[in-house]
Amino acid sequence: EPEVTQTPSHQVTQMGQEVILRCVPISNHLYFYWYRQILGQKVEFLVSFYNNEISEKSEIFDDQFSVERPDGSNFTLKIRSTKLEDSAMYFCASAPLRGGNTIYFGEGSWLTVV
Amino acid sequence: KQEVTQIPAALSVPEGENLVLNCSFTDSAIYNLQWFRQDPGKGLTSLLLIQSSQREQTSGRLNASLDKSSGRSTLYIAASQPGDSATYLCAVVLTGGGNKLTFGTGTQLKVEL
């Protein structure tokens, strides 16, 4: 069964360093997302991406964050200068169409900022 | 702003018991509602998707219902098994909200032998 894959599964980084989290969405999907979950808290929406541009973003997704689809298969989340509070599980997700469809999540990338 | 709440926060039941997990949302203008399962340290696995025009969806031992007017959904698990132990999350998509999911707080379920 097709699945969303994410790398790395776990990354430890120094505060202030740049981090890139990578995702390979399901191949025929058109909508891509990043969510995050701080330990013990709700899963929160960060950004949605369609047709090579951001379609929606949350207030969490400030100038320190960026997303890119550098080729036909990868979808990346970059955090330019990490802060302690960026420590969380980051989930990539994809969906075939807009609205009314099941959204498929990857296994997550656990980011620890020290 | 849409708020999604799940009750109870945690639940422990003996194997074989039928159980109900509850989800409530404040804005009834939803496009759909999705139930997920999350195992510790793992991703989210979609269980059921209910469109706003539907009242319920079934998959195996799982049945989810939706009452938009009262802002509630329930997930019914029949004949629970230890393998059902996980955190169950509900999430809603608002009408006109693209595919952005607003998640609930989750119910942590433990099914004991």
Side-chain angles (χ1 to χ4, degrees):
Chain A
E1 184 176 326
E3 58 182 21
V4 177
T5 58
Q6 291 185 241
T7 55
S9 57
H10 190 191
Q11 183 163 352
V12 181
T13 190
Q14 296 275 345
M15 190 169 54
Q17 294 295 305
E18 176 182 283
V19 162
I20 297 176
L21 305 178
R22 292 182 166 80
C23 170
V24 179
I26 295 173
S27 64
N28 62 343
H29 285 189
L30 301 177
Y31 289 85
F32 314 114
Y33 311 87
W34 285 99
Y35 287 79
R36 79 172 186 188
Q37 186 177 32
I38 295 171
L39 190 63
Q41 297 187 21
K42 290 186 182 186
V43 177
E44 302 173 289
F45 169 79
L46 291 178
V47 66
S48 59
F49 192 87
Y50 170 71
N51 200 26
N52 283 320
E53 61 181 21
I54 291 173
S55 51
E56 190 174 0
K57 60 183 181 180
S58 72
E59 57 271 17
I60 302 168
F61 194 88
D62 61 21
D63 292 344
Q64 292 299 311
F65 292 89
S66 63
V67 290
E68 194 177 37
R69 188 155 162 83
D71 53 42
S73 60
N74 291 285
F75 180 50
T76 62
L77 174 70
K78 181 192 290 186
I79 308 175
R80 289 191 181 82
S81 179
T82 50
K83 305 170 192 160
L84 295 176
E85 54 264 36
D86 293 327
S87 295
M89 179 76 94
Y90 288 82
F91 293 108
C92 175
S94 68
L97 296 169
R98 186 180 192 274
N101 289 276
T102 298
I103 298 172
Y104 297 87
F105 281 76
E107 290 283 291
S109 292
W110 183 247
L111 176 65
T112 302
V113 182
V114 297
Chain B
K1 182 184 174 186
Q2 177 75 277
E3 296 287 340
V4 182
T5 306
Q6 292 183 244
I7 295 173
L11 183 62
S12 182
V13 299
E15 183 180 12
E17 192 160 299
N18 301 325
L19 57 100
V20 174
L21 307 181
N22 297 291
C23 172
S24 61
F25 45 92
T26 54
D27 188 340
S28 62
I30 65 167
Y31 196 86
N32 60 46
L33 182 146
Q34 202 165 340
W35 281 93
F36 292 90
R37 169 186 172 135
Q38 184 177 29
D39 292 284
K42 297 289 188 178
L44 308 175
T45 302
S46 180
L47 298 173
L48 290 163
L49 171 71
I50 310 179
Q51 303 293 353
S52 62
S53 58
Q54 298 174 320
R55 294 297 298 244
E56 64 179 306
Q57 281 285 345
T58 298
S59 176
R61 294 182 293 108
L62 305 179
N63 175 276
S65 67
L66 175 64
D67 183 344
K68 267 183 54 175
S69 60
S70 66
R72 292 180 187 174
S73 176
T74 60
L75 179 67
Y76 176 82
I77 303 177
S80 57
Q81 303 170 357
D84 295 330
S85 298
T87 296
Y88 291 80
L89 303 172
C90 70
V92 300
V93 174
L94 283 178
T95 302
N99 269 354
K100 184 179 87 171
L101 289 163
T102 301
F103 280 85
T105 46
T107 293
Q108 189 173 7
L109 172 65
K110 184 174 182 182
V111 181
E112 298 174 318
L113 290 168

